Amino acid sequence: MSKIEAVTVRLLAADDYEALIALWQRAGLSHRPGGRDSREAILQQLKDGGVAIVGAKLEGKLIGAVVVSDDGRKGWINRLAVDPAHRRHGLGGRLIRAAEEELRGRGLSIFAALSEARNEASLRLFEREGYATLDGVVYLSKRKSLDV
Ligand SMILES: CC(C)(COP(=O)(O)OP(=O)(O)OC[C@H]1O[C@@H](n2cnc3c(N)ncnc32)[C@H](O)[C@@H]1OP(=O)(O)O)[C@@H](O)C(=O)NCCC(=O)NCCS
């Protein structure tokens, strides 16, 4: 069995929080410690049930994760991250499919993701998983500060 076949993909729990933040840092994803990414905020999101986090572990170490959220109409696939040491082995795709399975289980059939336009790896990966960029759609957001 190759190393990547030994990876287990499961929902994460509260005690995976530190490993999740460490993974985001290794993967180069920004992290807002005072806002919605704080331990308290993430644990509350998991408790409320609107958010689930799917993680990929190899020999107990978290090497990939994706945040799944459900607004009742659409399922959002956020903060997909794969450890740089384990990229291009299909893990990103596997995590997207696991996120979709979680969302289907919640009765959703429309899946959406946001990506920076210059993030070629992310765009190629989502396209390969069947996602299309919607022509003419612009992401609008209103927030008090960029820290939340
Ligand atoms: C984007 C990311 C999750 C991809 O993870 P991964 O495990 O390497 O992805 P996969 O192995 O499943 O890639 C599947 C396909 O996606 C495309 N792809 C992935 N990385 C790519 C890259 N760097 N450049 C171009 N295409 C890429 C390829 O088509 C690839 O298939 P191939 O390896 O047979 O060519 C990973 O690069 C990452 O964590 N990046 C930093 C965080 C980030 O940008 N997340 C996205 C936020 S929206």
Side-chain angles (χ1 to χ4, degrees):
M1 182 162 62
S2 81
K3 259 198 152 187
I4 220 74
E5 286 172 50
V7 171
T8 55
V9 173
R10 306 239 160 79
L11 288 182
L12 297 185
D15 58 1
D16 292 301
Y17 179 79
E18 274 77 24
L20 178 68
I21 300 304
L23 169 69
W24 283 350
Q25 283 167 346
R26 292 199 302 283
L29 284 185
S30 61
H31 149 236
R32 301 162 194 87
R36 62 195 149 147
D37 296 335
S38 71
R39 166 187 276 279
E40 297 65 36
I42 297 252
L43 300 196
Q44 192 60 49
Q45 292 159 30
L46 292 175
K47 206 168 150 205
D48 291 345
V51 169
I53 305 177
V54 180
K57 289 187 184 175
L58 178 64
E59 292 157 1
K61 182 177 178 188
L62 189 67
I63 61 165
V66 63
V67 176
V68 181
S69 63
D70 160 9
D71 68 14
R73 288 164 58 86
K74 259 195 218 81
W76 288 92
I77 297 181
N78 305 302
R79 312 228 96 214
L80 176 64
V82 171
D83 190 313
H86 296 282
R87 289 184 186 166
R88 302 307 282 265
H89 290 294
L91 209 49
R94 201 168 149 194
L95 283 164
I96 291 176
R97 292 190 293 279
E100 291 171 349
E101 200 178 310
E102 168 67 22
L103 291 165
R104 259 185 229 105
R106 295 164 177 244
L108 294 164
S109 56
I110 299 178
F111 312 131
L114 294 172
S115 174
E116 288 180 354
R118 61 177 180 197
N119 190 341
E120 198 181 330
S122 160
L123 292 173
R124 294 284 152 272
L125 170 58
F126 275 98
E127 277 164 11
R128 189 155 149 170
E129 292 299 320
Y131 290 69
T133 307
L134 296 185
D135 249 357
V137 173
V138 174
Y139 173 54
L140 299 169
S141 112
K142 182 174 180 179
R143 53 185 86 200
K144 278 188 266 176
S145 97
L146 288 174
D147 285 341
V148 292

